[in-house]
Coordinates of all heavy atoms in Angstrom, one line a residue:
M53 N 114.6 98.1 121.9 CA 113.4 98.9 121.6 C 112.5 98.2 120.7 O 113.0 97.6 119.8 CB 113.8 100.2 121.1 CG 112.6 101.2 121.1 SD 113.0 102.9 120.4 CE 114.1 103.5 121.7
K54 N 111.2 98.2 121.0 CA 110.2 97.5 120.2 C 109.2 98.6 119.7 O 108.9 99.6 120.3 CB 109.4 96.5 120.9 CG 110.0 95.2 121.0 CD 109.0 94.2 121.7 CE 109.4 92.7 121.6 NZ 108.5 91.9 122.3
T55 N 108.6 98.3 118.4 CA 107.6 99.2 117.9 C 106.2 98.5 118.0 O 106.1 97.3 117.6 CB 107.9 99.5 116.5 OG1 109.2 99.9 116.3 CG2 106.9 100.5 115.9
F56 N 105.3 99.2 118.6 CA 103.9 98.6 118.7 C 103.0 99.6 117.8 O 103.3 100.7 117.7 CB 103.5 98.7 120.1 CG 104.2 97.7 121.0 CD1 105.3 98.2 121.7 CD2 103.8 96.4 121.2 CE1 106.0 97.2 122.4 CE2 104.4 95.5 122.0 CZ 105.6 95.9 122.6
I57 N 102.0 99.0 117.4 CA 101.0 99.9 116.6 C 99.7 99.8 117.2 O 99.1 98.7 117.5 CB 100.9 99.4 115.0 CG1 102.2 99.6 114.5 CG2 99.8 100.3 114.4 CD1 102.3 99.3 112.9
L58 N 99.1 100.9 117.6 CA 97.8 101.1 118.2 C 96.8 101.4 117.2 O 97.0 102.4 116.5 CB 97.9 102.1 119.3 CG 96.9 102.1 120.4 CD1 97.0 100.8 121.2 CD2 97.1 103.3 121.3
G59 N 95.7 100.6 117.1 CA 94.6 100.9 116.1 C 95.1 100.5 114.7 O 96.3 100.0 114.5
Q60 N 94.2 100.8 113.7 CA 94.5 100.3 112.4 C 94.5 101.4 111.4 O 94.8 101.2 110.2 CB 93.5 99.2 112.0 CG 93.7 98.1 112.8 CD 92.6 97.0 112.5 OE1 91.5 97.3 112.2 NE2 93.0 95.7 112.8
S61 N 94.1 102.7 111.8 CA 94.2 103.8 110.9 C 94.3 105.1 111.8 O 94.1 105.0 112.9 CB 92.9 103.9 110.1 OG 91.8 104.2 110.9
K62 N 94.6 106.2 111.1 CA 94.7 107.4 111.8 C 93.4 107.8 112.4 O 93.3 108.2 113.6 CB 95.1 108.5 110.8 CG 95.5 109.8 111.3 CD 96.1 110.7 110.2 CE 96.2 112.1 110.6 NZ 96.7 112.9 109.5
E63 N 92.3 107.6 111.7 CA 91.0 108.0 112.1 C 90.6 107.2 113.4 O 90.0 107.7 114.3 CB 89.9 107.8 111.0 CG 90.1 108.7 109.8 CD 91.2 108.5 109.0 OE1 91.8 107.3 108.9 OE2 91.8 109.3 108.4
Q64 N 90.9 105.9 113.4 CA 90.6 105.0 114.5 C 91.3 105.4 115.7 O 90.7 105.5 116.8 CB 90.9 103.5 114.1 CG 90.3 102.6 115.1 CD 90.8 101.2 114.8 OE1 91.8 100.9 114.3 NE2 89.9 100.2 115.1
V65 N 92.6 105.8 115.6 CA 93.3 106.3 116.7 C 92.7 107.6 117.3 O 92.6 107.7 118.5 CB 94.8 106.5 116.3 CG1 95.6 107.3 117.5 CG2 95.5 105.2 115.9
L66 N 92.3 108.5 116.4 CA 91.8 109.8 116.8 C 90.4 109.6 117.6 O 90.1 110.3 118.6 CB 91.6 110.7 115.7 CG 93.0 111.2 115.1 CD1 92.7 112.1 113.9 CD2 93.9 111.9 116.2
Q67 N 89.7 108.5 117.1 CA 88.4 108.2 117.9 C 88.6 107.5 119.2 O 88.0 107.8 120.1 CB 87.6 107.2 117.0 CG 86.8 108.0 115.9 CD 85.9 107.0 115.1 OE1 86.0 105.8 115.3 NE2 85.1 107.6 114.3
M68 N 89.7 106.7 119.2 CA 90.0 105.9 120.4 C 90.5 106.8 121.5 O 90.3 106.5 122.7 CB 91.1 104.9 119.9 CG 91.2 103.6 120.9 SD 92.7 102.7 120.3 CE 92.6 102.5 118.6
I69 N 91.3 107.7 121.2 CA 91.9 108.6 122.2 C 91.2 109.9 122.2 O 91.4 110.7 121.3 CB 93.4 108.8 121.9 CG1 94.1 107.5 121.5 CG2 94.1 109.5 123.2 CD1 94.6 106.7 122.5
P70 N 90.4 110.2 123.2 CA 89.6 111.5 123.1 C 90.6 112.7 123.3 O 91.6 112.5 124.0 CB 88.6 111.4 124.3 CG 88.9 110.1 125.0 CD 90.0 109.4 124.3
E71 N 90.2 113.8 122.7 CA 91.0 115.0 122.9 C 91.2 115.3 124.3 O 90.3 115.4 125.2 CB 90.2 116.1 122.3 CG 90.8 117.6 122.4 CD 91.8 117.9 121.4 OE1 91.9 117.2 120.4 OE2 92.6 118.9 121.6
K72 N 92.5 115.4 124.8 CA 92.9 115.7 126.1 C 92.5 114.6 127.1 O 92.5 114.8 128.4 CB 92.5 117.1 126.6 CG 93.1 118.2 125.8 CD 92.7 119.5 126.4 CE 93.0 120.8 125.6 NZ 94.4 120.8 125.0
G73 N 92.0 113.5 126.6 CA 91.7 112.3 127.5 C 92.8 111.5 127.7 O 93.9 111.6 126.9
I74 N 93.0 110.6 128.7 CA 94.2 109.9 128.9 C 93.8 108.4 129.0 O 92.9 108.0 129.7 CB 94.8 110.2 130.2 CG1 95.2 111.7 130.2 CG2 96.0 109.4 130.5 CD1 95.8 112.2 131.6
K75 N 94.3 107.6 128.1 CA 93.9 106.2 128.0 C 95.1 105.4 128.4 O 96.3 105.5 127.9 CB 93.5 105.9 126.5 CG 92.7 104.7 126.3 CD 92.2 104.6 124.9 CE 91.5 103.3 124.6 NZ 90.3 103.1 125.3
L76 N 94.8 104.3 129.2 CA 95.8 103.4 129.6 C 95.8 102.2 128.6 O 94.8 101.6 128.3 CB 95.5 102.8 131.0 CG 96.7 102.1 131.6 CD1 97.8 102.8 131.9 CD2 96.1 101.3 133.0
V77 N 97.0 101.9 128.1 CA 97.1 100.8 127.1 C 98.2 99.8 127.5 O 99.1 100.2 128.1 CB 97.3 101.2 125.6 CG1 96.2 102.0 125.1 CG2 98.5 102.0 125.4
Q78 N 98.0 98.5 127.3 CA 99.0 97.5 127.5 C 99.7 97.2 126.2 O 99.0 96.8 125.2 CB 98.3 96.3 128.1 CG 99.2 95.1 128.3 CD 99.6 94.9 129.8 OE1 98.8 95.1 130.7 NE2 100.8 94.3 130.0
L79 N 100.9 97.4 126.2 CA 101.8 97.0 124.9 C 102.9 96.0 125.4 O 103.8 96.5 126.2 CB 102.3 98.3 124.3 CG 101.3 99.3 123.9 CD1 102.0 100.6 123.4 CD2 100.4 98.8 122.8
G80 N 102.8 94.9 125.0 CA 103.7 93.9 125.4 C 103.6 93.8 127.0 O 102.5 93.6 127.6
G81 N 104.6 93.9 127.8 CA 104.7 93.8 129.2 C 104.4 95.1 129.8 O 104.5 95.2 131.1
E82 N 104.3 96.2 129.0 CA 104.2 97.5 129.6 C 102.9 98.2 129.6 O 102.1 98.0 128.6 CB 105.2 98.5 128.8 CG 106.6 98.0 128.8 CD 107.4 98.7 129.8 OE1 106.9 99.7 130.5 OE2 108.6 98.5 129.8
K83 N 102.5 98.9 130.7 CA 101.3 99.7 130.6 C 101.8 101.1 130.5 O 102.6 101.6 131.2 CB 100.5 99.5 131.9 CG 99.7 98.2 132.0 CD 98.9 98.3 133.2 CE 98.1 96.9 133.2 NZ 97.5 96.5 134.4
I84 N 101.2 101.8 129.5 CA 101.6 103.2 129.2 C 100.3 104.0 129.0 O 99.2 103.5 128.7 CB 102.5 103.4 128.1 CG1 101.8 103.0 126.8 CG2 103.8 102.5 128.2 CD1 102.6 103.5 125.5
C85 N 100.4 105.3 129.2 CA 99.4 106.2 129.0 C 99.5 106.9 127.6 O 100.6 107.2 127.2 CB 99.3 107.3 130.1 SG 98.8 106.8 131.7
V86 N 98.4 107.1 127.0 CA 98.4 107.8 125.7 C 97.4 109.0 125.8 O 96.3 108.7 126.2 CB 98.0 106.9 124.5 CG1 98.1 107.6 123.2 CG2 99.0 105.7 124.5
T87 N 97.8 110.1 125.2 CA 96.9 111.2 125.1 C 97.1 112.0 123.9 O 98.0 111.7 123.2 CB 97.0 112.1 126.4 OG1 95.9 113.1 126.4 CG2 98.3 112.9 126.4
R88 N 96.1 112.9 123.7 CA 96.4 113.7 122.4 C 95.9 115.2 122.6 O 95.0 115.5 123.4 CB 95.8 113.2 121.2 CG 94.4 113.2 121.1 CD 93.9 112.6 119.8 NE 92.5 112.5 119.8 CZ 91.7 113.4 119.2 NH1 92.3 114.5 118.6 NH2 90.4 113.3 119.1
N89 N 96.6 116.1 122.0 CA 96.1 117.5 121.9 C 96.0 117.8 120.4 O 97.0 117.9 119.8 CB 97.2 118.4 122.5 CG 96.8 119.9 122.5 OD1 95.7 120.2 122.3 ND2 97.9 120.7 122.8
G90 N 94.7 117.7 119.9 CA 94.5 117.7 118.5 C 95.1 116.5 117.8 O 94.8 115.4 118.3
E91 N 96.0 116.7 116.8 CA 96.6 115.5 116.2 C 98.0 115.2 116.8 O 98.8 114.4 116.2 CB 96.6 115.6 114.7 CG 95.2 115.6 114.1 CD 95.2 115.3 112.6 OE1 96.2 115.0 112.0 OE2 94.1 115.2 112.1
A92 N 98.4 116.0 117.8 CA 99.6 115.7 118.5 C 99.5 114.6 119.5 O 98.6 114.9 120.5 CB 100.1 117.0 119.1
L93 N 100.0 113.5 119.3 CA 99.8 112.3 120.3 C 101.1 112.2 121.2 O 102.2 112.5 120.8 CB 99.5 111.1 119.5 CG 98.0 111.1 119.1 CD1 97.9 111.2 117.7 CD2 97.3 109.9 119.8
F94 N 100.8 111.7 122.4 CA 101.9 111.6 123.4 C 101.8 110.2 124.1 O 100.6 109.8 124.4 CB 101.9 112.7 124.4 CG 101.9 114.1 123.8 CD1 100.8 114.8 123.6 CD2 103.1 114.6 123.3 CE1 100.8 116.0 122.9 CE2 103.2 115.8 122.7 CZ 102.0 116.5 122.6
A95 N 102.8 109.6 124.4 CA 102.8 108.4 125.3 C 103.8 108.5 126.4 O 104.9 109.1 126.2 CB 103.2 107.2 124.4
F96 N 103.3 108.1 127.6 CA 104.2 108.3 128.8 C 103.8 107.4 129.9 O 102.8 106.6 129.8 CB 104.0 109.8 129.4 CG 102.5 110.1 129.6 CD1 102.0 110.1 130.9 CD2 101.7 110.5 128.6 CE1 100.7 110.3 131.1 CE2 100.4 110.9 128.8 CZ 99.8 110.8 130.0
E97 N 104.7 107.2 130.8 CA 104.6 106.3 131.9 C 103.3 106.6 132.7 O 103.0 107.9 132.9 CB 105.8 106.2 132.8 CG 106.2 107.5 133.5 CD 107.4 107.4 134.4 OE1 107.7 106.3 134.9 OE2 108.1 108.4 134.5
P98 N 102.6 105.7 133.4 CA 101.4 105.9 134.0 C 101.5 106.5 135.4 O 100.5 106.9 136.0 CB 100.7 104.6 134.1 CG 101.7 103.6 133.8 CD 102.8 104.2 133.2
F99 N 102.7 106.5 136.0 CA 102.8 107.0 137.4 C 103.8 108.2 137.4 O 104.8 108.2 136.8 CB 103.3 105.9 138.3 CG 102.3 104.7 138.4 CD1 102.6 103.6 137.8 CD2 101.2 104.9 139.1 CE1 101.7 102.5 137.8 CE2 100.3 103.9 139.2 CZ 100.5 102.7 138.5
C100 N 103.4 109.1 138.2 CA 104.2 110.4 138.3 C 105.6 110.1 139.0 O 105.6 109.3 140.0 CB 103.4 111.4 139.3 SG 104.3 112.9 139.5
P101 N 106.7 110.6 138.5 CA 108.0 110.3 139.1 C 108.2 110.9 140.4 O 109.2 110.7 141.1 CB 109.0 110.9 138.0 CG 108.1 111.7 137.1 CD 106.8 111.4 137.2
H102 N 107.3 111.8 140.8 CA 107.5 112.4 142.1 C 107.1 111.5 143.3 O 108.0 111.0 144.0 CB 106.7 113.8 142.2 CG 106.8 114.4 143.5 ND1 105.6 114.9 144.3 CD2 107.8 114.7 144.4 CE1 106.0 115.4 145.4 NE2 107.3 115.3 145.4
R103 N 105.8 111.1 143.4 CA 105.3 110.2 144.5 C 104.4 109.2 143.9 O 103.6 108.6 144.6 CB 104.7 111.0 145.6 CG 105.6 111.9 146.4 CD 106.4 111.2 147.5 NE 107.5 112.0 148.0 CZ 107.3 112.9 148.9 NH1 106.1 113.2 149.4 NH2 108.3 113.6 149.3
M104 N 104.6 108.9 142.7 CA 103.9 107.8 142.0 C 102.4 107.9 142.0 O 101.7 106.9 141.9 CB 104.2 106.4 142.7 CG 105.8 106.2 142.7 SD 106.4 106.0 140.9 CE 105.9 104.3 140.6
A105 N 101.8 109.1 142.0 CA 100.4 109.2 141.8 C 100.1 108.7 140.3 O 100.8 108.9 139.5 CB 100.0 110.7 141.9
S106 N 98.8 108.2 140.2 CA 98.4 107.7 138.9 C 98.2 109.0 138.0 O 97.4 109.9 138.4 CB 97.1 107.0 139.0 OG 96.6 106.8 137.7
L107 N 98.8 109.0 136.9 CA 98.6 110.2 135.9 C 97.4 110.0 135.0 O 97.0 110.9 134.3 CB 99.9 110.3 135.1 CG 101.1 110.8 135.8 CD1 102.3 110.9 135.0 CD2 100.8 112.2 136.5
L108 N 96.6 108.9 135.3 CA 95.3 108.8 134.5 C 94.4 109.9 134.9 O 93.5 110.2 134.1 CB 94.7 107.4 134.9 CG 95.2 106.2 134.0 CD1 94.6 104.9 134.6 CD2 94.9 106.4 132.6
Q109 N 94.5 110.4 136.1 CA 93.7 111.5 136.6 C 94.4 112.8 136.3 O 93.9 113.9 136.9 CB 93.3 111.3 138.0 CG 92.2 110.3 138.3 CD 92.7 108.9 138.3 OE1 93.7 108.6 138.9 NE2 92.0 108.0 137.7
G110 N 95.5 112.8 135.5 CA 96.1 114.1 135.3 C 95.3 115.0 134.4 O 94.4 114.6 133.8
T111 N 95.8 116.3 134.3 CA 95.2 117.2 133.4 C 96.1 117.5 132.3 O 97.3 117.9 132.5 CB 94.7 118.5 134.1 OG1 94.0 118.1 135.3 CG2 94.0 119.5 133.4
I112 N 95.5 117.5 131.0 CA 96.4 117.9 129.8 C 96.2 119.4 129.6 O 95.0 119.8 129.4 CB 96.1 117.1 128.6 CG1 96.1 115.5 128.9 CG2 96.9 117.4 127.4 CD1 97.4 115.0 129.4
V113 N 97.2 120.1 129.6 CA 97.1 121.5 129.3 C 98.2 121.8 128.2 O 99.4 121.6 128.4 CB 97.5 122.4 130.5 CG1 97.4 123.9 130.1 CG2 96.6 122.1 131.7
R114 N 97.8 122.1 127.0 CA 98.6 122.3 125.8 C 99.4 120.9 125.7 O 98.8 119.9 125.6 CB 99.5 123.5 125.8 CG 98.7 124.8 125.8 CD 99.5 126.0 125.8 NE 100.2 126.0 127.1 CZ 99.7 126.5 128.3 NH1 98.6 126.9 128.3 NH2 100.5 126.5 129.4
N115 N 100.7 121.0 125.6 CA 101.5 119.8 125.5 C 102.1 119.4 126.8 O 103.3 118.9 126.8 CB 102.6 119.9 124.4 CG 102.0 120.1 123.0 OD1 100.8 119.8 122.9 ND2 102.8 120.4 122.1
E116 N 101.4 119.6 127.9 CA 101.9 119.3 129.2 C 100.9 118.5 130.0 O 99.7 118.6 129.7 CB 102.1 120.6 130.0 CG 103.1 121.6 129.3 CD 103.2 122.9 130.0 OE1 102.6 123.1 131.1 OE2 103.8 123.7 129.4
I117 N 101.3 117.7 131.0 CA 100.4 117.1 131.9 C 100.7 117.6 133.3 O 101.8 117.8 133.7 CB 100.6 115.5 131.8 CG1 99.6 114.9 132.8 CG2 102.0 115.0 132.3 CD1 99.3 113.4 132.5
V118 N 99.6 117.8 134.0 CA 99.6 118.3 135.4 C 99.2 117.1 136.2 O 98.2 116.6 136.1 CB 98.7 119.5 135.6 CG1 98.9 120.0 137.0 CG2 99.0 120.6 134.6
C119 N 100.2 116.7 137.2 CA 99.8 115.6 138.1 C 98.7 116.1 139.1 O 98.7 117.2 139.6 CB 101.1 115.3 138.9 SG 100.8 114.0 140.1
P120 N 97.8 115.1 139.3 CA 96.7 115.4 140.2 C 97.0 115.7 141.6 O 96.3 116.3 142.4 CB 95.7 114.3 140.0 CG 96.5 113.1 139.7 CD 97.7 113.7 138.8
L121 N 98.2 115.0 142.1 CA 98.4 115.1 143.5 C 99.1 116.4 144.0 O 98.6 117.0 144.9 CB 99.4 113.9 143.9 CG 99.4 113.5 145.3 CD1 98.0 113.3 145.9 CD2 100.1 112.2 145.5
H122 N 100.2 116.8 143.4 CA 100.9 118.0 143.9 C 101.0 119.0 142.7 O 101.8 120.0 142.8 CB 102.3 117.7 144.4 CG 102.3 116.6 145.5 ND1 102.8 115.3 145.3 CD2 101.9 116.7 146.8 CE1 102.6 114.6 146.4 NE2 102.0 115.4 147.3
Q123 N 100.3 118.7 141.7 CA 100.3 119.6 140.5 C 101.7 119.9 139.9 O 101.9 121.0 139.3 CB 99.6 121.0 140.9 CG 98.1 120.9 141.1 CD 97.7 120.1 142.3 OE1 98.2 120.5 143.4 NE2 96.9 119.1 142.2
Y124 N 102.6 119.0 139.9 CA 103.8 119.2 139.1 C 103.4 119.1 137.7 O 102.5 118.3 137.3 CB 104.8 118.1 139.5 CG 105.6 118.2 140.8 CD1 105.1 119.1 141.7 CD2 106.7 117.5 141.1 CE1 105.8 119.3 143.0 CE2 107.3 117.6 142.3 CZ 106.9 118.5 143.2 OH 107.6 118.6 144.4
R125 N 104.2 119.7 136.8 CA 103.9 119.8 135.5 C 105.1 119.2 134.6 O 106.2 119.3 135.0 CB 103.6 121.2 134.9 CG 102.4 121.8 135.4 CD 102.1 123.3 135.1 NE 102.7 123.7 133.9 CZ 103.8 124.6 133.8 NH1 104.3 125.1 134.9 NH2 104.2 124.9 132.7
F126 N 104.8 118.3 133.6 CA 105.7 117.7 132.8 C 105.5 117.9 131.3 O 104.3 118.0 130.9 CB 105.7 116.2 133.0 CG 105.9 115.9 134.4 CD1 104.9 115.7 135.4 CD2 107.2 115.5 134.9 CE1 105.0 115.3 136.7 CE2 107.5 115.2 136.2 CZ 106.4 115.1 137.1
D127 N 106.6 118.2 130.5 CA 106.4 118.3 129.1 C 106.2 117.0 128.5 O 107.0 116.1 128.7 CB 107.8 119.0 128.6 CG 107.7 119.3 127.1 OD1 107.4 118.4 126.3 OD2 108.1 120.4 126.7
L128 N 105.2 116.8 127.7 CA 104.8 115.5 127.2 C 105.7 115.1 126.0 O 105.7 113.9 125.7 CB 103.3 115.5 126.8 CG 102.3 115.4 127.9 CD1 100.9 115.7 127.4 CD2 102.4 114.1 128.7
Q129 N 106.5 116.1 125.5 CA 107.3 115.7 124.4 C 108.6 115.2 124.8 O 109.2 114.2 124.4 CB 107.5 116.9 123.4 CG 106.8 116.7 122.1 CD 106.6 118.0 121.4 OE1 107.0 119.1 121.8 NE2 106.2 117.9 120.2
T130 N 109.2 115.9 125.9 CA 110.5 115.6 126.3 C 110.5 114.9 127.6 O 111.5 114.2 128.0 CB 111.3 116.8 126.5 OG1 110.7 117.7 127.6 CG2 111.4 117.7 125.2
G131 N 109.4 114.9 128.4 CA 109.3 114.4 129.7 C 109.9 115.3 130.8 O 109.8 115.0 132.0
A132 N 110.4 116.4 130.4 CA 111.1 117.4 131.4 C 110.1 117.9 132.5 O 108.9 118.2 132.1 CB 111.7 118.5 130.7
V133 N 110.5 117.9 133.7 CA 109.7 118.4 134.8 C 109.8 119.9 134.7 O 110.8 120.5 134.5 CB 110.1 117.9 136.1 CG1 111.6 118.2 136.5 CG2 109.2 118.4 137.3
L134 N 108.6 120.6 134.6 CA 108.5 122.0 134.3 C 108.2 122.8 135.6 O 108.5 124.0 135.7 CB 107.5 122.4 133.3 CG 107.6 121.6 131.9 CD1 106.4 121.9 131.0 CD2 108.9 122.2 131.3
S135 N 107.6 122.1 136.6 CA 107.4 122.8 137.9 C 107.5 121.7 138.9 O 107.0 120.5 138.7 CB 106.1 123.6 138.0 OG 105.0 122.6 138.1
G136 N 108.2 121.9 140.0 CA 108.4 121.0 141.0 C 109.7 120.4 140.9 O 110.5 120.7 139.9
Q137 N 110.2 119.5 141.8 CA 111.5 118.9 141.8 C 111.5 117.5 141.9 O 111.1 116.9 143.0 CB 112.4 119.5 143.0 CG 112.5 121.0 142.8 CD 113.9 121.4 143.3 OE1 114.6 120.8 144.1 NE2 114.5 122.5 142.7
C138 N 111.7 116.7 140.8 CA 111.6 115.3 140.8 C 112.3 114.9 139.5 O 112.5 115.8 138.5 CB 110.3 114.8 141.0 SG 109.1 115.1 139.6
P139 N 112.6 113.6 139.4 CA 113.1 113.1 138.0 C 112.0 113.5 136.9 O 110.9 113.6 137.2 CB 113.3 111.6 138.2 CG 113.3 111.4 139.7 CD 112.4 112.5 140.3
D140 N 112.6 113.5 135.7 CA 111.6 113.7 134.5 C 110.7 112.5 134.3 O 111.0 111.4 134.7 CB 112.4 113.8 133.2 CG 113.3 115.2 133.2 OD1 112.9 116.1 134.0 OD2 114.2 115.3 132.4
L141 N 109.6 112.8 133.6 CA 108.7 111.8 133.3 C 109.3 111.0 132.2 O 109.8 111.6 131.2 CB 107.3 112.5 132.9 CG 106.1 111.6 132.5 CD1 105.6 110.9 133.7 CD2 105.1 112.4 131.8
K142 N 109.0 109.6 132.2 CA 109.5 108.8 131.0 C 108.4 109.0 129.9 O 107.2 108.7 130.2 CB 109.5 107.4 131.4 CG 110.2 106.5 130.4 CD 110.5 105.1 131.1 CE 111.2 104.2 130.0 NZ 111.4 102.9 130.6
V143 N 108.9 109.4 128.8 CA 108.0 109.5 127.6 C 108.5 108.6 126.5 O 109.6 108.2 126.4 CB 107.9 111.0 127.1 CG1 107.2 111.9 128.1 CG2 109.3 111.5 126.7
Y144 N 107.6 108.3 125.5 CA 107.9 107.3 124.5 C 107.6 108.0 123.2 O 106.7 108.8 123.0 CB 107.0 106.1 124.6 CG 107.2 105.3 125.9 CD1 106.2 105.6 126.9 CD2 108.1 104.4 126.2 CE1 106.3 104.9 128.1 CE2 108.3 103.8 127.4 CZ 107.4 104.0 128.4 OH 107.5 103.4 129.5
K145 N 108.5 107.7 122.2 CA 108.4 108.3 120.9 C 107.1 107.6 120.2 O 106.9 106.5 120.3 CB 109.6 108.0 120.0 CG 109.7 108.6 118.7 CD 111.0 108.3 118.1 CE 110.9 108.7 116.6 NZ 111.6 107.8 115.7
V146 N 106.3 108.5 119.5 CA 105.2 108.0 118.8 C 105.1 108.6 117.5 O 105.8 109.7 117.2 CB 103.9 108.5 119.6 CG1 103.8 107.8 120.9 CG2 103.7 109.9 119.7
G147 N 104.4 107.9 116.5 CA 104.2 108.5 115.2 C 102.8 108.2 114.7 O 102.5 107.0 114.6
L148 N 102.0 109.1 114.4 CA 100.6 108.9 113.8 C 100.7 108.7 112.3 O 101.1 109.6 111.6 CB 99.7 110.1 114.2 CG 98.2 109.9 113.9 CD1 97.6 108.7 114.5 CD2 97.5 111.1 114.2
T149 N 100.4 107.5 111.9 CA 100.4 107.1 110.5 C 99.1 106.6 110.0 O 98.2 106.4 110.7 CB 101.5 106.0 110.2 OG1 100.9 104.8 110.8 CG2 102.8 106.3 110.9
D150 N 99.0 106.4 108.7 CA 97.7 105.8 108.1 C 97.5 104.3 108.6 O 96.4 103.8 108.5 CB 97.8 105.8 106.6 CG 97.7 107.2 106.2 OD1 97.2 108.1 106.9 OD2 98.1 107.5 104.9
R151 N 98.5 103.7 109.2 CA 98.4 102.4 109.7 C 98.0 102.3 111.2 O 97.9 101.3 111.8 CB 99.7 101.6 109.5 CG 100.2 101.5 108.1 CD 101.4 100.6 108.0 NE 102.4 100.9 108.9 CZ 103.2 100.1 109.5 NH1 103.0 98.8 109.4 NH2 104.2 100.5 110.4
G152 N 97.9 103.5 111.8 CA 97.7 103.6 113.2 C 98.7 104.4 114.0 O 99.6 105.0 113.3
L153 N 98.8 104.2 115.3 CA 99.7 105.0 116.1 C 101.0 104.1 116.4 O 100.8 103.1 117.1 CB 99.0 105.5 117.4 CG 100.0 106.3 118.3 CD1 100.3 107.7 117.6 CD2 99.4 106.6 119.6
E154 N 102.1 104.5 115.8 CA 103.3 103.7 116.2 C 103.9 104.2 117.5 O 104.0 105.4 117.7 CB 104.3 103.8 115.1 CG 103.8 103.3 113.8 CD 104.9 103.3 112.7 OE1 105.9 104.1 112.8 OE2 104.7 102.6 111.6
I155 N 104.2 103.3 118.4 CA 104.8 103.7 119.7 C 106.1 102.8 119.9 O 106.0 101.6 119.8 CB 103.9 103.3 120.9 CG1 102.5 104.1 120.6 CG2 104.5 103.8 122.2 CD1 101.4 103.7 121.6
W156 N 107.2 103.5 120.2 CA 108.5 102.8 120.3 C 108.8 102.7 121.9 O 108.7 103.7 122.6 CB 109.6 103.6 119.7 CG 109.6 103.5 118.2 CD1 110.3 102.6 117.5 CD2 108.9 104.4 117.3 NE1 110.0 102.9 116.1 CE2 109.2 103.9 115.9 CE3 108.0 105.5 117.4 CZ2 108.7 104.5 114.8 CZ3 107.5 106.1 116.3 CH2 107.8 105.6 115.0
I157 N 108.8 101.5 122.3 CA 109.1 101.2 123.7 C 110.4 100.6 124.0 O 110.7 99.6 123.3 CB 107.9 100.4 124.3 CG1 106.7 101.2 124.3 CG2 108.3 100.0 125.8 CD1 105.5 100.5 124.9
Ligands
FES499 S1 102.9 112.7 143.0 FE1 102.8 113.8 141.1 S2 103.4 115.8 141.8 FE2 103.6 114.7 143.6

């Protein structure tokens, strides 16, 4: 597991990631999505585990993401599928600090 830091301060991260917006970032060899609900930040794989739809067009509702294709819902903290039947979404541990957003991959 590797730790990456996005941005250089908490304020910069909050500016970089719009509220309920989804941003694709490349960290090492991985592309991952980052979003936030207030100051709660989440990182997750960019493709839906059901039929691989891009989650960049997903909708953030509270701490969940809704896939644009068949509207399956996933918990952004645990990755658990909340509606529909498919494997869980891969999520990554994050921590918002004064040095930026730490992401463990
Ligand atoms: S591809 Fe995401 S719910 Fe079907």
